[in-house]
């Protein structure tokens, strides 16, 4: 990433801190760039967690728990659809509430390798990697593949991008089920980990799709390809699950409350 881009993103985040009177705990990339599947013209999906002075939480008029904003290449405010810099942030209370439920987005933020501002709290990352709910993640990633496939069927348009996103969902779900671990944000590593199960032909086909996406060809209609369709069916079966919640909700809440109190009150757990 160019140094000028990193500086621009940091400046945007610092401006948000001043504008909303918040402190950003950490800000990361959470999109195709984090997955190592970006195109030449991919936007920056910037996600952040913030908190406020304690007095702001003791109020009859609660402050916003989500901050969304977007800017084009000239740093003019715009819609997310037209953005080069797409930003979304959660207040620490909302973030921890979602993390307690093993919300996949919060987990992905915590394991992102691209950090724009601050640092990801080591204890929260460890919590996400050790206390995630297996069934929740499997069902989430599997549903991503179902939705992408439905979109292709509905519009009868089978693009490299949609196929890639469908397989990212399926292989992430398979990885969780097979290894009982949070899947890597870097999809290339997940693909390599599942190479034996995908087979060499599919592995090469997906690797080629990722390469073509980097050259802006991901929106080309490549048609319905048997190698992809058959394997999607295979992994749909492999990722079916009835897994129940594994971890104690009470134990998780105690841990997250201790972190929150330490952050806002400066107390030790």
């Amino acid at each position: 990433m160019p140094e000028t881009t990193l500086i621009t993103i940091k400046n945007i985040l610092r401006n948000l801190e001043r504008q909303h009177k918040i402190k950003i705990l950490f800000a990361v990339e959470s999109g195709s760039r984090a997955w190592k599947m970006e195109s030449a013209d991919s936007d920056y999906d910037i996600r952040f967690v913030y908190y406020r002075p304690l007095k702001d939480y003791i109020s009859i008029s609660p402050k916003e728990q989500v901050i969304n904003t977007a800017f084009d290449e000239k740093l003019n405010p715009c819609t997310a659809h037209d953005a080069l810099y797409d930003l979304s942030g959660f207040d620490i209370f909302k973030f921890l509430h979602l993390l307690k439920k093993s919300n996949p987005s919060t987990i992905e933020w915590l394991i992102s390798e691209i950090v724009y501002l601050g640092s990801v709290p080591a204890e929260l990352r460890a919590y996400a990697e050790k206390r995630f709910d297996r069934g929740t993640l499997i069902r989430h990633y599997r549903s991503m593949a179902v939705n992408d496939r439905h979109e292709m069927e509905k519009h009868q348009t089978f693009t490299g991008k949609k196929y890639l996103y469908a397989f990212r969902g399926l292989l992430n779900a398979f990885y969780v089920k097979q290894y009982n671990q949070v899947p890597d944000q870097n999809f290339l590593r997940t693909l390599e980990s599942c190479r034996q199960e995908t087979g060499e032909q599919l592995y090469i086909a997906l690797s080629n799709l990722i390469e073509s996406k980097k050259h802006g060809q991901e929106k080309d209609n490549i048609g319905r390809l048997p190698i992809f369709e058959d394997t999607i069916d295979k992994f749909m079966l492999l990722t079916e699950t009835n897994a129940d919640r594994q971890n104690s909700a009470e134990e998780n809440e105690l841990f997250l409350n201790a972190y929150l109190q330490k952050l806002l009150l400066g107390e030790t757990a």
Side-chain angles (χ1 to χ4, degrees):
M1 179 187 306
E3 182 67 22
T4 53
T5 299
L6 182 58
I7 291 172
T8 296
I9 292 173
K10 285 185 176 181
N11 287 339
I12 292 173
L13 291 166
R14 291 301 189 196
N15 286 337
L16 285 178
E17 285 186 316
R18 288 189 288 269
Q19 178 185 350
H20 294 273
K21 298 179 181 178
I22 59 173
K23 174 66 177 178
I24 292 176
L25 184 62
F26 67 91
V28 299
E29 176 68 29
S30 183
S32 61
R33 292 180 183 275
W35 308 337
K36 304 303 179 187
M37 290 167 51
E38 74 273 15
S39 307
D41 60 350
S42 287
D43 63 353
Y44 293 87
D45 294 301
I46 304 158
R47 304 293 179 257
F48 60 96
V49 177
Y50 64 89
Y51 61 99
R52 300 178 182 277
L54 184 59
K55 64 181 179 62
D56 285 356
Y57 293 109
I58 309 172
S59 171
I60 61 173
S61 300
K63 302 290 186 180
E64 58 198 341
Q65 286 198 308
V66 180
I67 296 173
N68 293 317
T69 190
F71 301 92
D72 63 20
E73 60 183 5
K74 296 182 180 179
L75 298 183
N76 295 316
C78 64
T79 65
H81 180 267
D82 299 316
L84 178 58
Y85 306 102
D86 177 25
L87 295 94
S88 182
F90 287 168
D91 179 89
I92 187 65
F93 279 86
K94 181 177 181 66
F95 180 80
L96 294 181
H97 179 72
L98 292 172
L99 181 61
K100 177 188 169 186
K101 297 180 178 181
S102 281
N103 174 274
S105 294
T106 61
I107 293 174
E108 290 192 5
W109 297 9
L110 288 169
I111 65 172
S112 177
E113 295 180 350
I114 304 176
V115 180
Y116 293 122
L117 192 67
S119 59
V120 175
E123 57 266 62
L124 291 186
R125 175 165 182 155
Y127 171 93
E129 292 177 332
K130 294 177 181 178
R131 301 197 187 192
F132 69 91
D133 182 67
R134 185 168 174 261
T136 297
L137 289 193
I138 293 171
R139 285 186 282 270
H140 166 78
Y141 285 120
R142 190 176 186 276
S143 71
M144 290 172 57
V146 170
N147 292 337
D148 285 323
R149 192 180 202 185
H150 175 73
E151 284 295 307
M152 288 190 283
E153 294 283 356
K154 179 180 178 180
H155 300 290
Q156 286 297 296
T157 302
F158 301 84
T159 66
K161 180 177 181 178
K162 281 294 184 182
Y163 269 129
L164 271 180
Y165 282 21
F167 274 106
R168 176 179 179 267
L170 280 176
L171 294 187
N172 277 0
F174 177 79
Y175 188 91
V176 175
K177 190 172 183 179
Q178 180 79 0
Y179 300 107
N180 197 28
Q181 294 179 358
V182 172
D184 203 301
Q185 273 282 75
N186 184 335
F187 181 63
L188 292 174
R189 289 200 286 262
T190 303
L191 179 59
E192 184 66 39
S193 297
C194 300
R195 190 168 184 168
Q196 182 175 344
E197 288 78 15
T198 62
E200 197 65 16
Q201 187 178 4
L202 181 68
Y203 173 84
I204 292 172
L206 290 175
S207 298
N208 289 339
L209 272 186
I210 293 172
E211 189 62 31
S212 69
K213 190 175 186 300
K214 292 180 180 179
H215 297 288
Q217 299 168 331
E218 78 275 16
K219 294 181 181 179
D220 293 346
N221 187 356
I222 60 178
R224 190 196 303 268
L225 299 180
I227 185 176
F228 291 147
E229 292 295 319
D230 293 345
T231 312
I232 286 176
D233 289 336
K234 169 188 171 183
F235 278 93
M236 284 292 186
L237 292 174
L238 288 174
T239 53
E240 289 181 347
T241 182
N242 293 314
D244 295 323
R245 181 166 292 279
Q246 297 172 297
N247 298 311
S248 165
E250 182 178 356
E251 182 182 350
N252 289 348
E253 187 167 330
L254 286 171
F255 176 86
L256 295 174
N257 277 340
Y259 174 81
L260 184 63
Q261 291 159 11
K262 181 178 179 181
L263 177 69
L264 296 182
L265 301 176
E267 296 179 356
T268 56

